[in-house]
Amino acid sequence: MSKKRTFLKLKKKLLLRQRDLLNELEEKHQETSQWLKDHKKDLSSLSRDFAETAATSAATGILLLASGSIPLKPATLETDNPIVVSQTTSTSQVSSSEDVSEVLAEKLEKQVPGKVRDLNEQEKADLEKIISETTGVAVKSNLEGYQLNTNYGYIGGEQHLYRFAGDNLIRHVKNAREWLMFGRSGIAPNRGAWGYFPNEDFERYYVAVQTFLSPNWRSNPKATYDWFRFRKVMVINPKSGQAVVTVVGDAGPADWTGKHYGGSPEVMHYLGLGIGPRKGAVLMFFVDDKEGRIPLGPVSDKFFQGSEPL
Amino acid sequence: MSKLTYAQFVDPEVILLKLRGLEIKEEEFPEILNLVDEIFRIRLLSLILSELEEGDKIHFLKLVDLDSGVEVVDFVKTKVVNIEDKIQIIVQEVHNQVLEDISDLEF
């Protein structure tokens, strides 16, 4: 059977099922159908509204959908290629990052171009120095010969990504507050470019970068793909100075979107870009962290104050 | 791709794997997944309406229409016994049914 025919056959089957269900619903619940008709409402949008309410309620614990047919979260996260992470501290416990942000914003204001564009080598070097000295984390635009396609570009909000087989959105939030901040972005129907995540923090603080536009890609796509996998990068909102240490967890966005990077709902929140258009200009540099000492999450002075760049 | 309510409850990766097995083009996946989502939503609404008494159905519709999330769920939880279990059954049924539909096309 040709690809097109298979697709059409499946589509037809699902459309028939959908139509039968709608007919059945209308026949069985005539009082309801009449009310919808009288109020000029359609069944499709009403069902969508209710399904979203159910999903929200499940996430916030109002509906307890933690058992039964939905597979339970495995004790250890399953991944295609497990990697060892020497990460002992979660920065989500850190409450304040105001001081370092303020200092960083002040220093970056004079250095970062007003309009988003490629940075020249001198600008990159100057920014590396400022960011490394202010945050205490050594950052580089060129690490082990690899580079991003740009270090200054637009980031857009992404959805959550599946972390393991059987994962679902509800498992990504702990309470109603987190749902409001991070749950509403939803979860993407596909896995990230490197498959499932080796731990929860990697998905929580992931970014998407255009690996396919990296200068290294053309000469060796396979090695570049492998090198970028869960590579640590720091993202900085130059206007506010808010900075987050993240990992590269997905490839994208597409070139035509006009955006250069994507950020998880948590990353966008900690960059101060979690509301409104969920888009903004950011700086992005590799974190030089051979020993795996730099924790993921928002950069806080409590971790890095007064220390030499790690 | 638009947000899938269905995918908030269960990983659609199994369905995607099956679709890849059929060699359906990747760009056609969203259309299929959106239809699955639509089926799931109708089944969910149908379930609630079937469980409610006649007089309660209109009240439920009004609450959904008003977008009063917590009130909707409170109302449903009060009126429908074991609502959580029933939703899980619907999720699984839709999931299995779609997998069957795809399997039928494999032969």
Side-chain angles (χ1 to χ4, degrees):
Chain A
M1 202 184 298
S2 74
K3 283 183 185 183
K4 193 73 193 167
R5 221 174 129 206
T6 310
F7 166 70
L8 290 173
K9 210 167 173 184
L10 180 59
K11 187 180 163 184
K12 191 178 168 190
K13 207 167 187 174
L14 294 173
L15 279 169
L16 277 173
R17 200 180 294 290
Q18 180 199 23
R19 194 195 64 190
D20 289 348
L21 284 168
L22 277 171
N23 288 342
E24 190 186 311
L25 203 152
E26 282 179 14
E27 276 173 33
K28 268 174 77 177
H29 307 287
Q30 289 182 5
E31 187 190 356
T32 304
S33 305
Q34 192 57 49
W35 185 89
L36 291 170
K37 214 172 165 184
D38 294 345
H39 291 80
K40 292 180 180 151
K41 308 282 177 195
D42 87 278
L43 205 52
S44 183
S45 63
L46 202 83
S47 68
R48 186 179 306 118
D49 291 346
F50 176 64
E52 279 175 11
T53 299
T56 308
S57 306
T60 54
I62 300 168
L63 278 175
L64 301 170
L65 294 176
S67 61
S69 57
I70 296 175
L72 288 170
K73 180 176 164 178
T76 53
L77 297 172
E78 291 166 9
T79 157
D80 297 336
N81 302 298
I83 62 170
V84 178
V85 187
S86 57
Q87 192 177 308
T88 52
T89 320
S90 169
T91 50
S92 57
Q93 295 160 356
V94 177
S95 57
S96 166
S97 59
E98 277 178 15
D99 294 344
V100 74
S101 300
E102 279 174 27
V103 176
L104 197 52
E106 202 181 314
K107 289 181 180 175
L108 292 175
E109 191 184 2
K110 299 159 199 156
Q111 201 64 42
V112 177
K115 280 188 177 177
V116 165
R117 61 165 171 79
D118 280 344
L119 303 171
N120 62 41
E121 292 306 315
Q122 187 57 53
E123 287 171 327
K124 286 181 196 174
D126 291 343
L127 286 167
E128 283 173 8
K129 192 166 184 290
I130 289 171
I131 296 164
S132 298
E133 285 178 358
T134 311
T135 64
V137 178
V139 298
K140 290 183 174 170
S141 60
N142 186 324
L143 186 66
E144 298 168 9
Y146 286 91
Q147 297 172 67
L148 292 160
N149 53 319
T150 181
N151 296 98
Y152 185 33
Y154 287 111
I155 191 169
E158 299 284 340
Q159 294 185 299
H160 287 281
L161 290 172
Y162 288 101
R163 300 164 298 181
F164 49 84
D167 193 14
N168 60 49
L169 178 67
I170 294 154
R171 298 183 203 278
H172 287 246
V173 293
K174 297 184 186 88
N175 49 47
R177 187 172 167 269
E178 281 206 355
W179 174 265
L180 290 171
M181 290 196 296
F182 312 130
R184 291 182 168 191
S185 303
I187 192 162
N190 295 311
R191 288 183 290 169
W194 289 273
Y196 292 126
F197 285 81
N199 64 48
E200 290 185 7
D201 262 5
F202 273 26
E203 191 280 338
R204 198 171 171 83
Y205 300 112
Y206 88 85
V207 289
V209 302
Q210 294 168 316
T211 48
F212 45 90
L213 296 178
S214 155
N216 306 87
W217 187 265
R218 198 169 287 178
S219 56
N220 196 340
K222 173 71 173 70
T224 308
Y225 171 85
D226 290 342
W227 191 86
F228 269 96
R229 178 176 181 263
F230 303 129
R231 179 66 52 180
K232 260 182 207 174
V233 291
M234 188 188 288
V235 194
I236 305 113
N237 178 346
K239 283 186 182 163
S240 64
Q242 286 163 286
V244 189
V245 177
T246 70
V247 290
V248 175
D250 201 4
D255 201 17
W256 56 263
T257 60
K259 290 180 275 191
H260 307 91
Y261 321 111
S264 73
E266 286 86 349
V267 167
M268 297 306 283
H269 171 78
Y270 288 114
L271 286 173
L273 301 169
I275 51 171
R278 298 180 74 230
K279 182 185 170 186
V282 294
L283 295 164
M284 189 181 285
F285 288 90
F286 296 121
V287 173
D288 190 2
D289 184 29
K290 290 181 190 72
E291 293 168 2
R293 292 168 62 193
I294 310 297
L296 301 184
V299 173
S300 163
D301 56 306
K302 286 191 181 174
F303 277 106
F304 307 113
Q305 203 169 37
S307 61
E308 289 295 311
L310 291 167
Chain B
M1 196 182 291
S2 61
K3 220 187 285 180
L4 298 169
T5 317
Y6 157 80
Q8 319 304 314
F9 292 98
V10 64
D11 184 354
E13 183 62 23
V14 186
I15 291 178
L16 291 171
L17 277 174
K18 279 267 189 187
L19 290 176
R20 283 184 195 114
L22 282 182
E23 294 185 335
I24 287 179
K25 289 180 193 166
E26 292 265 343
E27 58 261 36
E28 289 167 335
F29 287 4
E31 207 170 333
I32 298 295
L33 288 178
N34 281 330
L35 277 169
V36 174
D37 205 38
E38 179 82 14
I39 289 169
F40 166 66
R41 289 191 261 114
I42 299 167
R43 287 283 314 269
L44 196 58
L45 184 64
S46 182
L47 159 78
I48 304 299
L49 291 174
S50 301
E51 295 280 336
L52 293 175
E53 299 288 336
E54 278 304 314
D56 290 332
K57 288 178 190 175
I58 302 298
H59 184 62
F60 166 73
L61 295 180
K62 283 178 184 168
L63 288 177
V64 176
D65 189 41
L66 286 170
D67 199 21
S68 45
V70 177
E71 283 178 54
V72 173
V73 177
D74 277 350
F75 181 72
V76 170
K77 283 189 78 167
T78 315
K79 301 287 180 182
V80 183
V81 182
N82 293 332
I83 178 63
E84 286 94 344
D85 293 345
K86 287 169 182 166
I87 290 178
Q88 285 185 341
I89 290 168
I90 295 286
V91 171
Q92 207 58 56
E93 277 180 6
V94 171
H95 192 70
N96 291 341
Q97 199 168 50
V98 173
L99 291 177
E100 267 178 43
D101 286 344
I102 298 171
S103 294
D104 288 347
L105 291 173
E106 289 173 336
F107 302 104

mmCIF file of all heavy atoms in Angstrom, chain A residues 53-54 56-65 176, chain B residues 69-74 77 83-84:
data_model
loop_
_atom_site.group_PDB
_atom_site.id
_atom_site.type_symbol
_atom_site.label_atom_id
_atom_site.label_comp_id
_atom_site.label_asym_id
_atom_site.label_seq_id
_atom_site.Cartn_x
_atom_site.Cartn_y
_atom_site.Cartn_z
ATOM 1 N N THR A 53 -9.659 21.071 31.255
ATOM 2 C CA THR A 53 -9.927 21.202 32.688
ATOM 3 C C THR A 53 -9.531 19.919 33.418
ATOM 4 O O THR A 53 -8.913 19.962 34.483
ATOM 5 C CB THR A 53 -11.432 21.479 32.925
ATOM 6 O OG1 THR A 53 -11.755 22.698 32.279
ATOM 7 C CG2 THR A 53 -11.761 21.574 34.395
ATOM 8 N N ALA A 54 -9.859 18.787 32.824
ATOM 9 C CA ALA A 54 -9.527 17.503 33.444
ATOM 10 C C ALA A 54 -8.012 17.335 33.553
ATOM 11 O O ALA A 54 -7.498 16.902 34.588
ATOM 12 C CB ALA A 54 -10.129 16.358 32.631
ATOM 13 N N THR A 56 -5.761 19.739 33.647
ATOM 14 C CA THR A 56 -5.279 20.686 34.655
ATOM 15 C C THR A 56 -5.527 20.135 36.060
ATOM 16 O O THR A 56 -4.658 20.181 36.927
ATOM 17 C CB THR A 56 -6.022 22.033 34.534
ATOM 18 O OG1 THR A 56 -5.936 22.463 33.186
ATOM 19 C CG2 THR A 56 -5.451 23.077 35.455
ATOM 20 N N SER A 57 -6.713 19.610 36.264
ATOM 21 C CA SER A 57 -7.086 19.112 37.583
ATOM 22 C C SER A 57 -6.260 17.906 37.978
ATOM 23 O O SER A 57 -5.912 17.736 39.140
ATOM 24 C CB SER A 57 -8.564 18.722 37.589
ATOM 25 O OG SER A 57 -9.327 19.800 37.145
ATOM 26 N N ALA A 58 -5.928 17.090 37.001
ATOM 27 C CA ALA A 58 -5.094 15.933 37.298
ATOM 28 C C ALA A 58 -3.706 16.408 37.716
ATOM 29 O O ALA A 58 -3.108 15.891 38.654
ATOM 30 C CB ALA A 58 -5.000 15.035 36.071
ATOM 31 N N ALA A 59 -3.224 17.442 37.014
ATOM 32 C CA ALA A 59 -1.884 17.954 37.312
ATOM 33 C C ALA A 59 -1.814 18.608 38.679
ATOM 34 O O ALA A 59 -0.792 18.563 39.348
ATOM 35 C CB ALA A 59 -1.465 18.943 36.245
ATOM 36 N N THR A 60 -2.885 19.237 39.089
ATOM 37 C CA THR A 60 -2.853 19.945 40.368
ATOM 38 C C THR A 60 -3.317 19.067 41.529
ATOM 39 O O THR A 60 -3.407 19.520 42.657
ATOM 40 C CB THR A 60 -3.746 21.198 40.306
ATOM 41 O OG1 THR A 60 -5.047 20.802 39.879
ATOM 42 C CG2 THR A 60 -3.200 22.217 39.352
ATOM 43 N N GLY A 61 -3.610 17.833 41.234
ATOM 44 C CA GLY A 61 -3.970 16.918 42.306
ATOM 45 C C GLY A 61 -5.432 16.922 42.672
ATOM 46 O O GLY A 61 -5.852 16.223 43.596
ATOM 47 N N ILE A 62 -6.238 17.724 41.978
ATOM 48 C CA ILE A 62 -7.673 17.732 42.273
ATOM 49 C C ILE A 62 -8.272 16.404 41.794
ATOM 50 O O ILE A 62 -9.090 15.794 42.454
ATOM 51 C CB ILE A 62 -8.371 18.938 41.603
ATOM 52 C CG1 ILE A 62 -7.763 20.239 42.116
ATOM 53 C CG2 ILE A 62 -9.872 18.926 41.903
ATOM 54 C CD1 ILE A 62 -8.166 21.469 41.335
ATOM 55 N N LEU A 63 -7.807 15.977 40.641
ATOM 56 C CA LEU A 63 -8.154 14.633 40.181
ATOM 57 C C LEU A 63 -6.929 13.757 40.429
ATOM 58 O O LEU A 63 -5.829 14.088 40.009
ATOM 59 C CB LEU A 63 -8.473 14.628 38.684
ATOM 60 C CG LEU A 63 -9.879 15.039 38.251
ATOM 61 C CD1 LEU A 63 -9.957 15.076 36.735
ATOM 62 C CD2 LEU A 63 -10.935 14.106 38.792
ATOM 63 N N LEU A 64 -7.120 12.663 41.095
ATOM 64 C CA LEU A 64 -5.985 11.827 41.449
ATOM 65 C C LEU A 64 -5.806 10.706 40.433
ATOM 66 O O LEU A 64 -6.329 9.620 40.586
ATOM 67 C CB LEU A 64 -6.174 11.258 42.858
ATOM 68 C CG LEU A 64 -6.328 12.318 43.937
ATOM 69 C CD1 LEU A 64 -6.747 11.695 45.248
ATOM 70 C CD2 LEU A 64 -5.055 13.110 44.112
ATOM 71 N N LEU A 65 -5.058 11.025 39.405
ATOM 72 C CA LEU A 65 -4.880 10.043 38.330
ATOM 73 C C LEU A 65 -3.499 9.396 38.410
ATOM 74 O O LEU A 65 -2.835 9.198 37.418
ATOM 75 C CB LEU A 65 -5.044 10.717 36.973
ATOM 76 C CG LEU A 65 -6.432 11.239 36.652
ATOM 77 C CD1 LEU A 65 -6.426 11.974 35.327
ATOM 78 C CD2 LEU A 65 -7.434 10.116 36.593
ATOM 79 N N ALA A 176 -0.108 22.931 42.401
ATOM 80 C CA ALA A 176 -0.892 23.872 41.591
ATOM 81 C C ALA A 176 -0.049 25.074 41.149
ATOM 82 O O ALA A 176 -0.180 25.561 40.030
ATOM 83 C CB ALA A 176 -2.090 24.351 42.387
ATOM 84 N N GLY B 69 -13.025 26.076 36.027
ATOM 85 C CA GLY B 69 -12.321 24.804 36.164
ATOM 86 C C GLY B 69 -12.550 24.040 37.462
ATOM 87 O O GLY B 69 -12.984 22.885 37.441
ATOM 88 N N VAL B 70 -12.247 24.691 38.583
ATOM 89 C CA VAL B 70 -12.341 23.982 39.863
ATOM 90 C C VAL B 70 -13.783 23.572 40.150
ATOM 91 O O VAL B 70 -14.044 22.458 40.615
ATOM 92 C CB VAL B 70 -11.788 24.865 41.012
ATOM 93 C CG1 VAL B 70 -11.949 24.174 42.355
ATOM 94 C CG2 VAL B 70 -10.327 25.186 40.759
ATOM 95 N N GLU B 71 -14.718 24.470 39.853
ATOM 96 C CA GLU B 71 -16.133 24.154 40.088
ATOM 97 C C GLU B 71 -16.584 22.977 39.222
ATOM 98 O O GLU B 71 -17.349 22.124 39.677
ATOM 99 C CB GLU B 71 -17.002 25.374 39.787
ATOM 100 C CG GLU B 71 -16.963 26.417 40.892
ATOM 101 C CD GLU B 71 -17.802 27.629 40.525
ATOM 102 O OE1 GLU B 71 -18.979 27.442 40.204
ATOM 103 O OE2 GLU B 71 -17.252 28.737 40.538
ATOM 104 N N VAL B 72 -16.108 22.939 37.998
ATOM 105 C CA VAL B 72 -16.461 21.827 37.101
ATOM 106 C C VAL B 72 -16.017 20.512 37.724
ATOM 107 O O VAL B 72 -16.791 19.557 37.833
ATOM 108 C CB VAL B 72 -15.782 21.980 35.702
ATOM 109 C CG1 VAL B 72 -16.018 20.750 34.841
ATOM 110 C CG2 VAL B 72 -16.296 23.209 34.986
ATOM 111 N N VAL B 73 -14.758 20.500 38.143
ATOM 112 C CA VAL B 73 -14.207 19.251 38.685
ATOM 113 C C VAL B 73 -14.882 18.885 40.014
ATOM 114 O O VAL B 73 -15.205 17.709 40.251
ATOM 115 C CB VAL B 73 -12.673 19.358 38.833
ATOM 116 C CG1 VAL B 73 -12.104 18.101 39.461
ATOM 117 C CG2 VAL B 73 -12.048 19.570 37.464
ATOM 118 N N ASP B 74 -15.104 19.871 40.847
ATOM 119 C CA ASP B 74 -15.800 19.604 42.120
ATOM 120 C C ASP B 74 -17.170 18.987 41.861
ATOM 121 O O ASP B 74 -17.567 18.021 42.511
ATOM 122 C CB ASP B 74 -15.976 20.903 42.917
ATOM 123 C CG ASP B 74 -14.718 21.242 43.702
ATOM 124 O OD1 ASP B 74 -13.823 20.370 43.769
ATOM 125 O OD2 ASP B 74 -14.627 22.370 44.215
ATOM 126 N N LYS B 77 -16.786 15.449 40.491
ATOM 127 C CA LYS B 77 -16.336 14.520 41.534
ATOM 128 C C LYS B 77 -17.460 14.169 42.503
ATOM 129 O O LYS B 77 -17.524 13.069 43.047
ATOM 130 C CB LYS B 77 -15.154 15.120 42.309
ATOM 131 C CG LYS B 77 -13.852 15.035 41.532
ATOM 132 C CD LYS B 77 -12.670 15.424 42.367
ATOM 133 C CE LYS B 77 -12.277 14.301 43.298
ATOM 134 N NZ LYS B 77 -10.967 14.500 43.916
ATOM 135 N N ILE B 83 -14.539 8.810 39.511
ATOM 136 C CA ILE B 83 -14.285 9.498 38.234
ATOM 137 C C ILE B 83 -12.850 9.283 37.735
ATOM 138 O O ILE B 83 -12.614 9.100 36.544
ATOM 139 C CB ILE B 83 -14.616 11.023 38.347
ATOM 140 C CG1 ILE B 83 -14.317 11.775 37.052
ATOM 141 C CG2 ILE B 83 -13.933 11.692 39.501
ATOM 142 C CD1 ILE B 83 -15.149 11.337 35.877
ATOM 143 N N GLU B 84 -11.898 9.278 38.680
ATOM 144 C CA GLU B 84 -10.498 9.114 38.269
ATOM 145 C C GLU B 84 -10.286 7.790 37.535
ATOM 146 O O GLU B 84 -9.658 7.753 36.467
ATOM 147 C CB GLU B 84 -9.558 9.175 39.488
ATOM 148 C CG GLU B 84 -9.377 10.575 40.054
ATOM 149 C CD GLU B 84 -10.332 10.873 41.201
ATOM 150 O OE1 GLU B 84 -11.323 10.122 41.356
ATOM 151 O OE2 GLU B 84 -10.101 11.854 41.924
#
